[in-house]
Amino acid sequence: MSTFSSPDTPEGQPVRPEDGTRRSFMKQAGGLLGLALAPPFVGPAERLAAYSKTVEGVTSLQLKINGTVRSIQAEPRVTLLDALREYLDLTGTKKGCDHGQCGACTVHVDGRRINSCLTLAVMQQGKEITTIEGLAQGDALHPMQEAFLKHDGFQCGYCTPGQIMSGVACVKEGHAGSDDQTREWMSGNLCRCGAYPNIVAAVREVAGKA
Amino acid sequence: MNNFSYTQAGSAKAATGLLKDKPQAAYIAGGTTLLDLMKANLEEHPQLVDINTLPFKGIEQTKDGLRIGAMERMSDVGENKLVLEQFPAISESLLLAASPQLRNMASIGGNILQRTRCGYFRDAAFPCNKRVPGSGCPALTGDNHNLAVLGTSESCIATAYPGDLSVALAAFDAVLTLENQKGKQRQVLVKDFYLLPGKTPQKETVLEPGELIVAVTIPMTAQARRSTYLKVRERSSYAYALASAAVGLDVQGGTIRAARVALGGVGTKPWRSPEAEKALVGQPATEATFRAAAAAAMRGAQPRKENAFKVELAQNTLVQALMKVAG
Ligand SMILES: Cc1cc2nc3c(=O)[nH]c(=O)nc-3n(C[C@H](O)[C@H](O)[C@H](O)COP(=O)(O)OP(=O)(O)OC[C@H]3O[C@@H](n4cnc5c(N)ncnc54)[C@H](O)[C@@H]3O)c2cc1C
Ligand code: SF4
Ligand code: FES
Ligand code: FES
């Protein structure tokens, strides 16, 4: 089970035990008790399957976003992108194609950049999710945000949150060593306005200072 | 996307057991193929079984070669030191694929099972023999510029596997370890894993219902160490191959001792070419030899209106790749 505190509990608090409401949503018949109660006609596969956890319909999902655990009531089919935008009002992360083809939805999960449109929120419980809203420290912008401003790394700005999240990861991965390498490793983020030269300049500047 | 229940599999046995109980359910790893298709209503599953919890992990040297767990991610395998040293072609096939974000998500097992990018397959408004058996194939006379010229049939001409990794795996005799619903494991060569479309394009691999890909093992050879993957695309990055070549050579004193050749983007499955390999072995490592091998590889090609260019493109791609490893 997830090791989350309830949404309003400060971090680092002991894990809240499963409450009754929650349990009723979870067909979580694992553990010795579940096995002991399994009727004799249940085959071995089903007994082992009993160790698996199933989520069905609207349930409470806990997501740790930008350091804070947030709770949503959602079906398993809700993508991480829709959870952020539609359930948590974190609309900085953009929906472009919704099919992994544009990078507008890029966020970091456990420090790695991913496309939030092609993963389910239910699968990202227990992970550290960082969105564009989590980059700045109070009023102090992240160096990548500063660099995008300085180099005019956008026109309409729609792809920009994804570009910035990707740029931060690109530098951290060590894939911004040259303009060519930066272009290749930023290729998962499309820009309809064609701000590419300025985006490369911004990423390169941050890489140079890193 | 239809609604579904979601189950985190506790073990391989539990996972296969769940699919036995509900054959319409599907495994989910990275989700980058599955959710893409489900969002377009091209696949529907009442239950998704998350297999990311399974211990199909690790990249390690064994007596049979390098063993890569099916749940490893494309990015981690592509940048792994052993893979870079021993299998440059495999590393390149991974790092030239998709995007950095997708590679962080996508698993090796999922990559091997990705689906075709044929535009008609991906649009439910069109008939398609692969999606709806017997409904017809508009690609035969329609937009087929990105489809296959080798191994095609009157039922389907799609590059059923449009990706890169399996092309390199097929070239270097990689073996898949599969586990069925009885917990029994078996081994299948990647080059034999995919099926030709024939009259049943809906059946793409020899994987049985509910069977899991556990790992892939690649023998370590001189030709695998001296290998490359060349990919030609409509743009320079983040696109599928129009044509690609995975090649490896063992050259001694100017003569080719062993050769491995597989082509991507041009066959209905990852296209290992024994014809090209035969034309290479025992010959001097020269451009003339490479040209002859490329011609041999494409001899059986059946081009159509919009993909005829691939016959020449594939040959040039193969020659360039061979020149690079011959160095
Ligand atoms: C925009 C875009 C561009 C792309 N470009 C490229 C490219 O250039 N080259 C390339 O090679 N690929 C490309 N891909 C495909 C990508 O590599 C695959 O989507 C990815 O590898 C699938 O892995 P996954 O773990 O996300 O699979 P999933 O989506 O989780 O699974 C795919 C299928 O495999 C099954 N499955 C997964 N793992 C197992 C297992 N261990 N055992 C049995 N069944 C399993 C699932 O049930 C499902 O049917 C691209 C994808 C996108 C969206
Ligand atoms: S080529 Fe194959 S996948 Fe494409 S429309 Fe024809 S049958 Fe369907
Ligand atoms: S919205 Fe996710 S990649 Fe386009
Ligand atoms: S700034 Fe408009 S899409 Fe990139």
Side-chain angles (χ1 to χ4, degrees):
Chain A
M1 209 42 251
S2 56
T3 51
F4 284 112
S5 48
S6 72
D8 304 315
T9 320
E11 271 209 75
Q13 292 290 305
V15 179
R16 184 176 54 122
E18 290 293 333
D19 61 48
T21 349
R22 182 82 180 282
R23 180 160 295 176
S24 65
F25 287 118
M26 311 284 289
K27 284 195 204 154
Q28 195 192 354
L32 285 174
L33 188 63
L35 267 189
L37 293 178
F41 50 82
V42 169
E46 280 152 274
R47 278 201 220 168
L48 272 163
Y51 278 114
S52 305
K53 296 174 268 180
T54 294
V55 179
E56 216 170 345
V58 176
T59 63
S60 162
L61 306 178
Q62 274 77 33
L63 296 169
K64 188 169 178 192
I65 299 160
N66 302 327
T68 307
V69 177
R70 308 274 305 263
S71 188
I72 61 170
Q73 299 288 324
E75 292 173 339
R77 66 173 153 176
V78 172
T79 62
L80 177 58
L81 175 60
D82 286 342
L84 293 170
R85 290 183 56 83
E86 311 292 336
Y87 289 73
L88 292 163
D89 283 337
L90 290 167
T91 52
T93 307
K94 301 300 181 211
K95 183 183 280 192
C97 63
D98 212 21
H99 283 274
Q101 298 174 359
C102 75
C105 64
T106 302
V107 301
H108 298 176
V109 171
D110 287 344
R112 287 157 66 110
R113 49 175 157 161
I114 67 154
N115 294 332
S116 59
C117 68
L118 285 186
T119 189
L120 301 172
V122 66
M123 297 172 76
Q124 301 304 335
Q125 299 183 94
K127 311 244 171 93
E128 299 272 347
I129 300 157
T130 309
T131 68
I132 189 73
E133 290 90 348
L135 279 193
Q137 303 280 325
D139 283 342
L141 292 182
H142 185 281
M144 190 64 74
Q145 292 172 310
E146 295 278 11
F148 267 69
L149 282 173
K150 179 176 157 195
H151 291 278
D152 220 2
F154 48 84
Q155 282 179 37
C156 76
Y158 197 79
C159 71
T160 313
Q163 299 280 2
I164 290 176
M165 294 311 286
S166 217
V168 170
C170 186
V171 170
K172 198 182 103 196
E173 294 159 7
H175 289 140
S178 67
D179 285 3
D180 272 351
Q181 191 189 31
T182 304
R183 275 191 281 270
E184 171 61 25
W185 287 83
M186 288 296 291
S187 69
N189 294 80
L190 304 190
C191 174
R192 278 197 64 194
C193 301
Y196 296 114
N198 302 7
I199 294 169
V200 171
V203 175
R204 291 280 291 138
E205 177 176 290
V206 177
K209 287 184 190 154
Chain B
M1 189 156 47
N2 69 285
N3 208 355
F4 49 79
S5 65
Y6 164 87
T7 304
Q8 221 172 48
S11 67
K13 203 133 196 226
T16 54
L18 284 160
L19 257 70
K20 200 173 182 179
D21 292 346
K22 210 183 261 186
Q24 296 311 314
Y27 299 129
I28 182 165
T32 62
T33 284
L34 189 73
L35 296 177
D36 178 41
L37 294 173
M38 288 181 74
K39 282 183 182 189
N41 297 322
L42 299 170
E43 282 192 28
E44 238 178 71
H45 302 285
Q47 183 176 16
L48 296 190
V49 177
D50 186 346
I51 54 174
N52 288 294
T53 41
L54 303 186
F56 300 166
K57 304 229 167 92
I59 304 173
E60 59 207 11
Q61 226 165 315
T62 69
K63 65 172 180 21
D64 301 319
L66 194 70
R67 187 179 204 270
I68 303 168
M71 298 316 306
E72 287 292 331
R73 303 294 139 163
M74 288 172 70
S75 51
D76 298 322
V77 179
E79 295 201 275
N80 177 272
K81 198 166 157 283
L82 273 171
V83 177
L84 279 161
E85 271 169 24
Q86 299 291 327
F87 305 99
I90 287 171
S91 166
E92 289 160 16
S93 76
L94 287 163
L95 298 183
L96 292 173
S99 70
Q101 291 94 314
L102 289 163
R103 298 195 293 265
N104 279 342
M105 307 170 77
S107 67
I108 297 301
N111 184 295
I112 291 166
L113 291 171
Q114 64 179 279
R115 308 291 308 274
T116 184
R117 303 301 278 201
C118 172
Y120 302 110
F121 172 85
R122 289 178 58 84
D123 187 340
F126 284 96
C128 163
N129 286 329
K130 196 184 272 304
R131 193 164 25 77
V132 184
S135 62
C137 173
L140 293 175
T141 52
D143 177 5
N144 49 37
H145 82 282
N146 63 339
L147 303 185
V149 294
L150 289 165
T152 56
S153 74
E154 285 306 308
S155 296
C156 179
I157 59 169
T159 44
Y161 175 89
D164 302 292
L165 172 65
S166 288
V167 180
L169 292 177
F172 297 102
D173 305 296
V175 176
L176 295 175
T177 301
L178 310 176
E179 184 169 325
N180 72 10
Q181 294 176 331
K182 294 187 181 112
K184 253 216 165 105
Q185 294 201 346
R186 61 172 177 143
Q187 320 270 328
V188 179
L189 278 165
V190 170
K191 79 176 173 65
D192 301 332
F193 180 71
Y194 297 95
L195 300 170
L196 292 173
K199 288 192 166 73
T200 52
Q202 71 277 15
K203 180 110 183 78
E204 298 178 335
T205 71
V206 302
L207 200 72
E208 289 167 12
E211 205 171 19
L212 282 165
I213 300 180
V214 175
V216 57
T217 306
I218 322 144
M220 300 207 189
T221 59
Q223 58 272 15
R225 266 191 303 282
R226 191 167 174 175
S227 68
T228 196
Y229 184 77
L230 182 63
K231 179 174 179 181
V232 181
R233 296 169 267 192
E234 278 171 337
R235 59 185 185 202
S236 54
S237 186
Y238 198 13
Y240 286 90
L242 286 174
S244 70
V247 303
L249 291 179
D250 181 9
V251 184
Q252 284 167 33
T255 303
I256 300 166
R257 296 288 166 206
R260 294 290 182 273
V261 174
L263 298 171
V266 291
T268 49
K269 61 178 195 167
W271 201 259
R272 178 78 178 262
S273 179
E275 297 84 2
E277 291 171 8
K278 203 165 150 231
L280 291 166
V281 175
Q283 301 299 316
T286 61
E287 185 172 349
T289 301
F290 301 155
R291 287 257 157 235
M298 298 307 290
R299 199 152 286 145
Q302 287 199 307
R304 297 191 182 253
K305 190 151 174 259
E306 290 184 5
N307 66 6
F309 72 96
K310 284 195 175 186
V311 179
E312 192 182 345
L313 183 69
Q315 292 188 55
N316 290 341
T317 307
L318 179 52
V319 170
Q320 262 197 44
L322 288 165
M323 302 265 278
K324 185 175 164 207
V325 284

